Amino acid sequence: MLKKGNKLYSILTGSCPKCHEESMYEDTNPYHLGKIFDMHERCSTCGTKYKIEPSFFYGAMYVSYAVGIAFAVAAFVISFLFIGTTLTTAFIAIVATMIVFMPIIIRLSRNIWINFFIGYDPNAATEHHKKVSDNISA
């Protein structure tokens, strides 16, 4: 289920959406908050440019809203319906969940957003290396 060539692989691992070979992020730990938005300019394996245009990842804010709602609903269902807490405690669980998982929600949203626009190409890495070697020899 979670193997290279699957969009879900790229979304959950934060790897390049085109070749799935390396992480898009300079620091793979989303909890290093000072570096949460720091991304490589291009994939060193296939040459894919991550920021397709200026302000490209502004669209990820819409995805972030939906992912945040999913996390909040999950927190409510677990705390209120499964555990049987009060509404006040369920609200506190939702707030705590949103605070704790916000870095992951941000990264997931960016990963989902870029995967809308860039598809997997199993030959991307070899084509890029061939193009680079042709340019060097010319």
Side-chain angles (χ1 to χ4, degrees), residues 31-50:
Y31 287 99
H32 292 154
L33 299 179
K35 298 180 179 182
I36 193 168
F37 296 109
D38 294 347
M39 297 178 73
H40 297 289
E41 184 70 28
R42 293 182 176 274
C43 175
S44 64
T45 306
C46 69
T48 299
K49 186 176 180 182
Y50 296 131

Side-chain angles (χ1 to χ4, degrees), residues 71-126:
F71 272 75
V73 168
F76 174 77
V77 168
I78 290 169
S79 67
F80 188 73
L81 298 178
F82 290 159
I83 298 174
T85 62
T86 65
L87 278 177
T88 305
T89 309
F91 176 75
I92 292 169
I94 291 169
V95 171
T97 299
M98 296 305 289
I99 291 170
V100 169
F101 287 104
M102 189 51 63
I104 292 173
I105 292 170
I106 290 170
R107 288 272 177 102
L108 271 175
S109 301
R110 283 180 163 229
N111 298 347
I112 291 168
W113 185 250
I114 197 166
N115 272 278
F116 280 145
F117 299 98
I118 301 175
Y120 177 70
D121 180 7
N123 302 319
T126 55

Side-chain angles (χ1 to χ4, degrees), residues 9-21:
Y9 176 84
S10 176
I11 290 169
L12 294 178
T13 62
S15 60
C16 173
K18 193 164 204 169
C19 70
H20 295 186
E21 291 296 326

